[in-house]
Structures are given as C-alpha cells and as structure tokens.
Amino acid sequence: MVYRRSIAIGVLFLVLSGLLSALIFRLSLGPCPTGTFSCDRGLLCVSQRQICDHRQDCVDGSDEHPVECGLLYGSKDMTNKIVTNAIKQKHRIPVTTNLTAVPFWHNNSKIQGKVLSPIEKNANRLIVKKMCKPEKISTYPEACVCRQHTLLYCGPNSNLTHIPMSGDKITNLIIMQNNLTLQQNAFSSYKNLRRLKLKYNNLTDIPLGLFHRLQALERLDIRHNSIAQLPKGIFRGLQAVQWLFLSSNGLKRIPINEMAIELPLLEWLVLSDNLLTLDNERFPRLNLLLELNLNDNLITYIHPKAFYGLHNIRDIRLVGNPLKYLSSHTFLSNQYLEALSLGYTPLQIHSSLLRHLNVSYLNLTGIPFGSIDFESINVMTNLKYIIYDRFYYCSMTPNVRMCRPISDGLSTFHDLLSKPVLRYSVWIMAFITITGNIMVLWGRFTYRDENVAVAMVIRNLAFADLLMGFYLLTIGILDYSYRDEYHRVALDWITSWQCVAVGILAVSSSEVSLLILAFMSLERFLLIADPFRSHHRISSKTILITLIIIWIMGIVLAVAPVILWQSSTKYYGTYSGICFPLHIQEPYPLGWQYSAFLFLGINLSLLLIITLLYIALLVSIWRTRKATPLALLEYEFAVKFFFIVLADILCWAPIIAMKIWVFFNYNISNDIYAWLVVFVLPLNSAINPLLYTFTTPKYRNQILSHNWKKIISRRREKSSRDTNTATGSSNLGSVQKFT
C-alpha cells in the first residue's frame, strides 16, 4: 500500500501523544489531587468538602476526627463533647460472634406470653441470636443484627414496615432504608432507648405522642425522609435529648417555640436541607445549645433577635440560604459564638455585621469579592480560620492564620502555575506549537506544486493553531513574571482586559480550527463520495470566502461574551489566571450559559458532524475504490486529514465529557482541570503540524530530500576542499623538494 508508511507515522504520533498525555497527568498528581486529602494510609483521597461534614467517608474516620473538626469549627465545648463520646465508644468491646439464628417461634404466634398480630408476625418474624445475651435482647427481627448486647441494627434488607417489638433492653436502635409507617405507640416498649436513628425510611408523618415514653433518649436522628411538617407537641417526652438531627426532610415548619420546655438539654440541632423560612420566628432560650445548622433552606429574612435566646451558642451555619440581609444586631447577644458560616448567600459582608463578631472561624465560600468588606475582617483579632470562594482573596486578609482555599488547581497563592510539570508543559507545548506551525506555513508557501485550495486551507488551519501557541507562550511568560508573588496581582490580572485578550486569542484559535475541520470534512465528503462530479470542485475563490467567514465566526464567538457581560471582564477570568472559560469546576458560574452553548452546543455539534462525515467518507471509499479509483492527491489528503480529525476529536472528547459531567453535579478535580487546559486542549494544535508534514508523502519527501541534498552537497564540498588542500600541499612539497 502506497500510504502504509504515512498511516504508520500517524498512528505513532497519536500513540506517543496519548502516552505523553497520561504521563503529564500522572506527574501533575500528588499523593492525592489538589483539593483532597489522604486517608486510610494513602489508599483513599477524599475531597476537602467532606472534611468534618458529620459523615464518615474514610474507613479510619480521619475525615471526622473529633479534635481536628472541633478546632476547625472553633467550638471547644463541642470538641470536648465529641472527644468524650469518642473515648467512651472506643472503650466499648464490640461483639464479633456471628452464630446461626435460631427461630424463637415455630408454629405458634406467642412471644413471652403475648399474642402477635398478623402484621407483627409477617413484618417482624422475631428470633433469638446467641450473639446477644438473652437477658438483654431476647427477641428481634430475623433480618436485623444485634451488636454490643443492646444495639439493634435493621439495615436495607430488613424489609420492615413497622417498628419491631423487641423489649425494653435496647439502648441503641438503628433502622435504615426501609419503608416504615410509625404508629403512636411504636416505641412504647423502648423505655431505656438512648439513641434512635431512622434514616432513609420514607417517613412522611410523625404522629403526635410518638416520643412520649422515650424519656431516656439522648440522640434522635430522623434525617433523609419526607416529613413536611412537625405538629405542635411533637417533642413532648424528649427532655433528655441532646442531639436532634432533622435534615433532608423537606420540612416547612417546625415548632421552635416549644424547644425551650421540651428540649432543655439540647446541644446540637441540625435542620439543614429543608424548606424552612423562619419568617419572624425567634429561637427560645436554649442555654445548652452549642451548634445550630440551618444550611440549605429557604431563609430570606432573619429577625434581628432570632438568636437572642442562644446565649451559649458556639456554631451557627446559614450556608446556601437566599439570605439578602442580616442586621448588625443579629449576633449581638451571642458573645460565645466561635464559628459562623455564611457561604453561598447573596449577603453583603459589611462592617456593621462584623463589628460585634468575635468568631475564630468564618466561612464566606461563594460570596463574590465585591460583597466582602476586607478591612473589617482585618480588624477581627480573634479570627484564625477563614474560607473564601477563591484563593487570591486570602491576600486581602494576610493576618488570618489559616485561609482556604490555597489553590484552584492551576494557580496557588504564590504562582500562576502551581506545579513544575504544568510550567514545563506550557513552555514545551508553546515551543512545539509555534515552531511546527511556522514550519508548515513556510513549507506551504515554499512548495507551490500542491493543490492551491488545499494549501490555502492548510495555511489557515496552521495559522489558527499558531495562535494557540502564542496563547501558551503568554501564559508561560506571565507565570515567570509573577513567580512567588502572584497573590499581589491575581485579582488585577483576572479582571483585566489583558486577560480578556488572551482568552479571546485561545477561544478564537480553537473555534476557527474546529470550523475549518468541519468545512474540509464536508468538502472532502462531497468530492470523494461522488467522484463523477469531481470536476465541480469548489473553486479557490469560494474557499477563500468560506475561510473569511469562518474567521469572522470564530472571532465573534470569542468576543460575544465580552459584549454580553460588557460591564465585567470576569467571563474569561472566572476560574483562574489562564483566562480560558472552560467552566467545569462548578455547573453554574458566571457565564455558564454561554460556555455550555459554546462547548456543548457548537463544538459538540461540529465534532459529531465531522465524525459522521468522515465515517461516511471512509465507507464511500471502501465501496467505490475499485470502480472509481481516486487520484493520488486525493488519497494523500484523505490519509492526512483522517489523522488531523482523529487527533482533534481525541483532544475535544474529554473536555466535552467533563463539561457534561459537571451538569450532573459530579465534582471535577482541580488536577483534571489543569491537565485539560494546559495540555489536552492545545495538544491538537501542537500535533497537527507534525501530521501535516510526515503523513504527506510529497511534503515529507521534499523536506527529507531537500535536507538530504544539502547534507550531501556540504559533504561533497568539504571533501572537494580537503582534496584540493591535499593536492596543493603535495604539489608544494614536490616543488620544494625539486628546489
């Protein structure tokens, strides 16, 4: 086959590019990706968002370490409480014996003299297991497990519909992922119950009087159900409860006023992820309450005296509420408040709000730069830990001991490009892209025996790729210029028009390149699929006009977001200092609509069109190659263009996949973002020149033969000079001898 060598070279380039891409990605990773931490002896990497979220993600529990989490949130009292409970739990000896269950009842329906109803018989099927002491728990459902003598666990496979009747010896009852219906007297036999967990049980209603007999209960967890409302008097009988978790239920109202009387020992109240509004409600006097979690509700207004009764509160969380205003008196009476979370709210963090705060922990994640009064934060002498939306905000509060985040994956507090491998990649890719495309442009203008239309397209494609090289070169120069002091200029840079210009350069390059490939795919398909009409080949003038239109479209697509957000330059600098609007680290940032339109609308459509056209083209070649053999030049272009298109698809596929992935609320790690933008995106611009050159036999032979002729010519000249020199020396010696 004439082009077997070209195909082998193209495959070799793609394989090497893939291996290099994998190597760069691997080198960019630490023990754990940026934004995560290592646990379970380095076997697991957990996102920083999962630290101290009251949910154990690490097997060793290090993400919920009681001391570190207590220090993180600043609540010393809560830390002491958690540590004490952890120590008690550690000293308990778990029972690991797992003996075969023996049915307690066979053909009768009596248990300890009590006649069971048909529902109780079918739903509970009580048995005795030898791993529990008979004097502790003598009966419980077959699918449940008894642990630590007095703990009863009924998991997803229990298929319970009612609370089992298991006697008054149980102190810890856990029922998860069942379809429960609660009766008023469901817990009448659980007089010694201290901990009750009813998560993921599709509960829709809590009957009044359900907890009347649970006077020893200390912890109540009814998270992740569908309870829309709690009736008045529901907390009656819970005088001993210390922890109350009611999150993720869709709660719209809760009898807050009754808590002071019914829950006098309450220390921890979690009401997050509900539909609460609070309106003008005020929390009653709860002297022992240490933590109040109201995250992710529908709270738009909080009464200035809503927290006046919480004199000993240490931690208040209001993250994710549509809260537009907080009075300067809201936290005036909370003199012991140590941790305050206001992230992802449309609040203005003004001086009057911060004036009376003496917190050591402040969460302002998701609040834009212009909404924060940094001068007021700087005078908060007790503040030790603060979380912002972007790492460069930390430069505005240098006196705070711990500030997060420390990186966005690409940049850190000190450097535009955080890792050496990213810096080397930028410079190497810039050098290859610029050098390769300049050589292609030089070659296409030097060798004029090729099809004029094809040469015109290749030149424009090379020039578009050359712009990507200049973009990378600019980023590399800026990284070198801002080394070790990026935090001083980060905000000015990402909001500058220079950043916009760099972003427009990169987007124009990528869009023009894709549009040209789509145009050439269509042109090749029409030419090769119907060779009998090849005499109707598109004229050079038509191609020139089409290329002009493509360039106009590419530039318009790059400039349009600047016009749409004309009062802001943040579209290109939303995420990082490299100014490329990929927007894959969160689904709905500033300008996400246009980013989705560009990458998922236009680019994905172009890639699909290119792929389908080229598949149809290859099928057409396969069917008609014997009947109507193509010209040598057409085969040459088909092979070359195949590898160019394939390289482009392989580079864009992961970018579009990540863009789609983020809309399903999956977190894209910062390392993947850095790898995509710094290496994968410009890879096709760097590899295209090599594919132009070495997959084209004529161009390859011309370059190689031209260079080879130069080498041979130089060697001949040198050999001739050496011969002449030797001859001259010999003649001179003969003359001297004769003389």
Side-chain angles (χ1 to χ4, degrees):
M1 186 177 180
V2 179
Y3 295 101
R4 186 174 297 171
R5 183 179 299 177
S6 299
I7 294 174
I9 292 174
V11 171
L12 177 63
F13 278 135
L14 292 181
V15 171
L16 290 177
S17 300
L19 293 175
L20 182 60
S21 178
L23 178 63
I24 294 295
F25 179 67
R26 181 65 186 88
L27 292 176
S28 66
L29 299 176
C32 277
T34 304
T36 64
F37 74 100
S38 174
C39 62
D40 297 338
R41 297 182 179 180
L43 298 178
L44 182 65
C45 297
V46 176
S47 172
Q48 289 181 351
R49 298 178 182 178
Q50 296 171 283
I51 302 175
C52 303
D53 62 350
H54 312 304
R55 181 185 302 170
Q56 183 173 320
D57 299 290
C58 299
V59 177
D60 59 10
S62 57
D63 62 315
E64 300 297 324
H65 191 280
V67 175
E68 294 181 359
C69 291
L71 293 176
L72 174 66
Y73 294 120
S75 177
K76 298 178 182 178
D77 291 342
M78 183 58 74
T79 301
N80 294 333
K81 182 73 176 179
I82 297 175
V83 171
T84 302
N85 290 329
I87 293 174
K88 290 180 180 179
Q89 185 71 19
K90 184 177 180 181
H91 283 84
R92 291 179 181 176
I93 301 175
V95 179
T96 57
T97 309
N98 189 11
L99 300 180
T100 306
V102 180
F104 181 79
W105 55 275
H106 298 278
N107 297 322
N108 60 64
S109 59
K110 291 185 179 182
I111 297 180
Q112 296 180 346
K114 179 181 177 181
V115 179
L116 295 178
S117 66
I119 294 179
E120 291 173 328
K121 285 170 57 179
N122 295 330
N124 298 324
R125 295 189 61 198
L126 302 182
I127 63 170
V128 173
K129 290 188 179 179
K130 294 183 179 180
M131 64 184 298
C132 284
K133 295 182 179 180
E135 65 271 17
K136 294 294 183 180
I137 305 178
S138 58
T139 60
Y140 55 91
E142 180 180 10
C144 298
V145 178
C146 179
R147 299 172 180 171
Q148 301 173 3
H149 305 313
T150 60
L151 185 153
L152 185 61
Y153 173 78
C154 303
N157 298 321
S158 302
N159 298 321
L160 296 183
T161 58
H162 293 76
I163 301 296
M165 306 292 291
S166 300
D168 59 355
K169 301 300 182 181
I170 294 178
T171 61
N172 194 339
L173 177 61
I174 301 175
I175 302 178
M176 298 177 61
Q177 299 184 35
N178 287 273
N179 291 300
L180 291 180
T181 301
L182 298 178
Q183 304 295 332
Q184 186 176 6
N185 61 346
F187 297 106
S188 59
S189 62
Y190 291 85
K191 297 179 181 179
N192 294 311
L193 191 64
R194 293 185 178 182
R195 298 183 183 181
L196 175 60
K197 182 179 293 187
L198 301 173
K199 295 172 60 177
Y200 298 102
N201 287 299
N202 297 321
L203 296 174
T204 58
D205 180 58
I206 303 292
L208 193 63
L210 179 67
F211 306 121
H212 280 187
R213 297 179 181 270
L214 300 180
Q215 298 182 3
L217 191 66
E218 297 175 354
R219 300 184 187 179
L220 177 58
D221 185 351
I222 320 180
R223 290 176 288 175
H224 301 284
N225 287 287
S226 303
I227 306 168
Q229 188 171 352
L230 294 178
K232 293 183 179 180
I234 191 62
F235 299 128
R236 195 165 301 156
L238 299 178
Q239 282 80 8
V241 166
Q242 300 171 10
W243 294 6
L244 178 59
F245 298 162
L246 297 171
S247 60
S248 303
N249 271 294
L251 279 171
K252 296 180 180 179
R253 294 193 63 84
I254 184 171
I256 293 177
N257 296 330
E258 299 178 1
M259 289 184 176
I261 299 175
E262 306 296 347
L263 302 169
L265 302 181
L266 189 62
E267 298 177 350
W268 195 350
L269 178 59
V270 179
L271 300 172
S272 59
D273 195 19
N274 283 297
L275 303 175
L276 299 174
T277 57
L278 291 188
D279 295 330
N280 287 318
E281 292 184 280
R282 306 183 193 181
F283 284 88
R285 185 178 295 275
L286 295 169
N287 292 328
L288 298 181
L289 187 64
L290 299 176
E291 180 176 326
L292 174 62
N293 190 335
L294 292 168
N295 290 347
D296 300 312
N297 278 280
L298 301 178
I299 302 172
T300 58
Y301 172 76
I302 293 179
H303 193 279
K305 296 184 179 181
F307 304 130
Y308 264 40
L310 310 179
H311 296 298
N312 291 308
I313 193 72
R314 301 301 200 270
D315 188 348
I316 296 178
R317 307 184 188 186
L318 299 169
V319 175
N321 284 284
L323 191 59
K324 298 181 180 179
Y325 175 76
L326 280 176
S327 169
S328 58
H329 301 288
T330 304
F331 307 107
L332 188 60
S333 65
N334 309 125
Q335 56 181 335
Y336 298 109
L337 185 64
E338 297 174 351
L340 179 62
S341 300
L342 301 173
Y344 297 105
T345 59
L347 282 171
Q348 293 288 329
I349 309 301
H350 48 80
S351 58
S352 59
L353 175 63
L354 302 175
R355 185 185 308 146
H356 304 293
L357 289 177
N358 195 34
V359 297
S360 59
Y361 170 88
L362 186 60
N363 184 348
L364 301 179
T365 308
I367 297 181
F369 184 87
S371 299
I372 302 174
D373 186 350
F374 292 100
E375 293 184 3
S376 300
I377 295 177
N378 282 323
V379 298
M380 299 174 67
T381 56
N382 195 45
L383 188 62
K384 298 180 178 63
Y385 195 107
I386 191 167
I387 301 180
Y388 290 120
D389 194 49
R390 298 287 183 263
F391 73 93
Y392 48 82
Y393 291 11
C394 295
S395 62
M396 305 301 294
T397 52
N399 298 326
V400 179
R401 186 172 64 184
M402 298 181 67
C403 185
R404 295 292 184 273
I406 59 175
S407 173
D408 62 0
L410 279 171
S411 306
T412 61
F413 190 73
H414 299 288
D415 301 308
L416 175 58
L417 296 176
S418 59
K419 300 177 181 178
V421 67
L422 297 179
R423 299 169 191 165
Y424 301 150
S425 297
V426 164
W427 284 103
I428 292 172
M429 296 297 290
F431 175 78
I432 294 175
T433 304
I434 293 175
T435 304
N437 284 288
I438 287 178
M439 288 181 62
V440 170
L441 290 172
W442 170 76
R444 297 298 165 179
F445 281 105
T446 301
Y447 302 107
R448 299 182 179 275
D449 58 339
E450 194 178 19
N451 185 297
V452 176
V454 172
M456 190 184 304
V457 173
I458 295 298
R459 290 169 193 163
N460 279 268
L461 195 55
F463 187 75
D465 291 336
L466 182 63
L467 296 182
M468 183 62 72
F470 288 133
Y471 162 76
L472 294 173
L473 180 63
T474 304
I475 297 300
I477 293 173
L478 290 171
D479 171 64
Y480 180 79
S481 302
Y482 297 152
R483 191 70 52 82
D484 296 327
E485 55 180 21
Y486 180 59
H487 61 280
R488 298 181 180 179
V489 298
L491 185 63
D492 293 334
W493 162 245
I494 66 172
T495 57
S496 68
W497 288 104
Q498 290 86 346
C499 179
V500 172
V502 171
I504 289 175
L505 190 69
V507 173
S508 299
S509 170
S510 60
E511 296 308 306
V512 169
S513 179
L514 263 180
L515 288 169
I516 290 177
L517 290 178
F519 166 68
M520 289 309 300
S521 298
L522 179 61
E523 193 272 340
R524 289 294 99 181
F525 173 75
L526 295 176
L527 177 65
I528 296 177
D530 193 0
F532 293 106
R533 297 184 181 180
S534 59
H535 59 280
H536 295 298
R537 188 190 303 264
I538 300 177
S539 65
S540 299
K541 182 178 180 181
T542 303
I543 290 180
L544 177 61
I545 295 173
T546 304
L547 290 173
I548 292 174
I549 294 174
I550 286 175
W551 276 100
I552 293 174
M553 290 176 61
I555 295 173
V556 168
L557 288 173
V559 175
V562 181
I563 299 174
L564 292 174
W565 288 276
Q566 55 184 341
S567 60
S568 172
T569 58
K570 294 181 180 179
Y571 176 78
Y572 281 100
T574 298
Y575 273 115
S576 64
I578 63 170
C579 307
F580 192 86
L582 193 54
H583 294 178
I584 63 170
Q585 290 178 300
E586 61 182 73
Y588 308 111
L590 174 69
W592 69 269
Q593 303 94 330
Y594 191 82
S595 180
F597 163 74
L598 187 64
F599 291 102
L600 300 184
I602 295 179
N603 291 0
L604 180 58
S605 300
L606 289 175
L607 286 176
L608 291 176
I609 291 172
I610 292 171
T611 303
L612 293 175
L613 285 174
Y614 217 89
I615 291 174
L617 186 147
L618 293 177
V619 171
S620 177
I621 291 176
W622 177 262
R623 289 179 177 178
T624 62
R625 59 179 180 169
K626 293 183 179 180
T628 55
L630 295 175
L632 196 64
L633 185 61
E634 305 302 339
Y635 269 124
E636 174 187 318
F637 192 84
V639 171
K640 171 176 58 181
F641 197 65
F642 168 77
F643 286 106
I644 293 173
V645 169
L646 182 60
D648 210 64
I649 291 175
L650 292 177
C651 289
W652 276 103
I655 295 174
I656 292 177
M658 293 299 104
K659 188 68 180 176
I660 296 174
W661 198 250
V662 74
F663 283 105
F664 289 94
N665 292 322
Y666 288 97
N667 292 326
I668 307 299
S669 74
N670 292 330
D671 292 302
I672 293 179
Y673 173 68
W675 173 68
L676 289 176
V677 176
V678 172
F679 186 80
V680 175
L681 182 66
L683 181 60
N684 66 310
S685 298
I687 198 175
N688 279 349
L690 301 177
L691 294 174
Y692 300 150
T693 304
F694 293 100
T695 59
T696 305
K698 182 185 296 185
Y699 192 35
R700 182 177 66 240
N701 293 335
Q702 285 177 334
I703 291 179
L704 294 178
S705 62
H706 181 71
N707 293 334
W708 183 250
K709 287 179 181 179
K710 282 187 176 181
I711 294 173
I712 293 176
S713 177
R714 288 175 182 174
R715 287 184 176 181
R716 286 178 177 176
E717 290 178 1
K718 183 179 180 181
S719 177
S720 177
R721 287 196 301 268
D722 293 342
T723 302
N724 293 335
T725 303
T727 303
S729 300
S730 176
N731 293 335
L732 180 61
S734 300
V735 171
Q736 290 176 348
K737 184 177 180 180
F738 178 78
T739 303

